[in-house]
Amino acid sequence: MEQIKILATAKQVPERVVSNDELSGLMETSDEWIYPRTGIHNRHVVTDENTSDLATGVAKKLLDEAGWSADELDFIIVSTMSPDGLSPHTAAIVQGNIHAANAFAFDLNAACSGFVYGLSAASAFLASGRYKKGMFIGAEVLSKLVDWKDRTVSVLFGDGAGGVLLEKTDEPVGLIAEELQSYGEMGDAILTGRFANKNAFAGEISPLDPYFHQDGRAVYGFATREVPKVMNKALEKAGLTADDVDFYIAHQANHRIIESMAKNFGQSMDKFPTNMEEYGNTSAASPAILLDEMVKAGQIKPGMKVAFVGFGGGLAIGVQIWQL
C-alpha cells in the first residue's frame, strides 16, 4: 500500500441549473426522452465562469477545510479537457489565484478517465518521497464544447469541478492498487476540440470542429465490455474481491452503464452511487463531485475501501482502489 492520505474533498458547481424541460425549448427533446436513456434530469452550466474559476473555488475550499496555507503545497494538478485556453494552463492559473508560491502546477487531459489518471499522477509524486503535500482537481466547462442544438450530445454534459488534498502519511491508509489502460485505436468513438491547420505551408485546410461528437453505441459497448475487465485486474492486484470494496465511485456517464457494472460484479446499486441525475456527465470532475457529496453526507468514512473508476475519451480506462 502506498501510504497517502486523502485529507480533504471539495466541489464547486455553477449556480445555473438547466433542466431537461428547459432544453426542450432549444431542441426537440424532453425529460421523458432524456432521463430513461441517461439517468439525467438536470445539469449545471456556467454563465460567466470558466474552468479556472471553478477549479479555484475548489482549491480555496480544500485549503479552508484542511486548515492549510497555500504555501504548504508542493504541487497542483488539474485534470481537464476543457481548459480556459492552451496557455497558461489551468493549474497555473489556480496556482496564481491562491498564491501557492512553492507549488509547481500542470494540467493533465485524460478526458472522462481524468480523475483516476490525475489521482494516479498525484499519488505517484507523493509515493516517490520527493513531495509531501499535493492538490488534485478535476474541472470541466463542457458547455463550451457541445452544440446546443444537437440532442444526441448536448443533453449529456454539465459543468463542475471537484478535488482532493493529499499528503504522505505513516498511517495505514492509501492506494492499494491501480490499473490504467488506453485504447487509442478506438479514439474516433469520442471526438472534440479539433483545430484547423491554417499555417502558411499547409495544403488542403483541415476542418475546424470544436464540438463534441461520439458514437454512443460504440461507447456504451466499450464501457460495459472493457471496464469490468480492468476493474477485475485492479481487484486481483489488490488481492480483493468485489465484495471487499465498500463503494465504487464511477465516472457519471450514464445510469445504464453503472447498472451494468453493478450487475456484472454481483453488487447492489447501493455500492455504485450516482449523482448524474443532478449534474450530468462532468468528465474529469464527476468522481470528485460524487466523492465530496458522499464524504460530506457521512456515507464514506475513514477505514472504508473505495474504488475509483474512470472511462471515456482516448479511449481510456482507469481504476484505483484506496483504503481511506
Side-chain angles (χ1 to χ4, degrees):
M1 182 188 300
E2 295 178 359
Q3 290 175 278
I4 301 159
K5 187 171 186 177
I6 296 178
L7 191 71
T9 65
K11 76 175 192 298
Q12 180 90 7
V13 295
E15 292 184 7
R16 179 72 162 91
V17 178
V18 178
S19 68
N20 290 343
D21 288 334
E22 185 172 354
L23 286 181
S24 67
L26 300 177
M27 64 193 81
E28 185 179 345
T29 193
S30 65
D31 186 67
E32 292 75 19
W33 188 87
I34 299 169
Y35 181 71
R37 290 168 171 80
T38 66
I40 299 168
H41 280 305
N42 300 311
R43 72 280 302 142
H44 292 241
V45 176
V46 299
T47 51
D48 57 359
E49 308 109 312
N50 209 332
T51 308
S52 64
D53 298 310
L54 299 180
T56 298
V58 169
K60 291 178 177 178
K61 288 178 181 179
L62 287 170
L63 293 173
D64 287 345
E65 184 173 318
W68 285 7
S69 163
D71 288 342
E72 297 180 60
L73 290 171
D74 293 312
F75 62 83
I76 300 168
I77 302 171
V78 172
S79 184
T80 183
M81 63 180 295
S82 54
D84 291 18
L86 296 182
S87 185
H89 49 279
T90 307
I93 298 172
V94 173
Q95 187 256 356
N97 286 346
I98 65 173
H99 308 293
N102 298 315
F104 65 87
F106 67 92
D107 285 2
L108 179 154
N109 178 3
C112 294
S113 296
F115 178 79
V116 177
Y117 278 62
L119 201 55
S120 177
S123 58
F125 278 129
L126 296 172
S128 74
R130 287 178 287 171
Y131 309 101
K132 295 181 179 179
K133 295 183 177 183
M135 176 182 288
F136 167 61
I137 298 169
E140 303 285 11
V141 174
L142 300 175
S143 59
K144 61 189 177 186
L145 298 180
V146 299
D147 178 354
W148 285 95
K149 296 180 181 178
D150 180 359
R151 75 170 186 173
T152 64
V153 173
S154 62
V155 302
L156 303 175
F157 297 102
D159 303 334
V164 294
L165 280 183
L166 305 114
E167 66 175 350
K168 193 79 174 89
T169 183
D170 293 327
E171 299 176 34
V173 299
L175 176 62
I176 303 172
E178 74 171 18
E179 182 71 20
L180 308 178
Q181 292 195 9
S182 295
Y183 307 78
E185 71 280 2
M186 300 175 66
D188 285 351
I190 301 176
L191 299 171
T192 189
R194 287 167 287 172
F195 293 97
N197 184 353
K198 296 182 178 180
N199 79 63
F201 309 99
E204 184 177 349
I205 302 299
S206 59
L208 171 64
D209 187 351
Y211 294 129
F212 230 108
H213 301 278
Q214 72 173 20
D215 182 337
R217 182 171 296 179
V219 172
Y220 181 87
F222 165 77
T224 55
R225 181 182 65 253
E226 299 298 332
V227 174
K229 295 178 185 177
V230 179
M231 291 171 69
N232 270 321
K233 288 181 180 180
L235 287 167
E236 289 172 9
K237 284 184 177 180
L240 301 172
T241 69
D243 291 342
D244 294 325
V245 176
D246 293 291
F247 287 107
Y248 295 84
I249 307 299
H251 167 51
Q252 301 291 290
N254 182 294
H255 199 274
R256 288 179 175 177
I257 291 174
I258 295 178
E259 283 182 326
S260 175
M261 288 182 198
K263 183 177 180 180
N264 187 292
F265 283 90
Q267 303 295 306
S268 163
M269 277 297 290
D270 291 341
K271 294 177 71 169
F272 282 77
T274 63
N275 66 0
M276 84 268 295
E277 298 89 348
E278 176 61 22
Y279 302 110
N281 179 343
T282 56
S283 190
S286 75
I289 292 172
L290 179 56
L291 173 65
D292 180 62
E293 290 190 327
M294 294 187 69
V295 168
K296 297 297 193 298
Q299 295 170 278
I300 291 181
K301 302 177 176 67
M304 286 185 168
K305 290 182 175 66
V306 173
F308 298 109
V309 183
F311 53 91
L315 297 179
I317 299 172
V319 178
Q320 282 197 327
I321 302 173
W322 283 70
Q323 174 77 45
L324 299 182

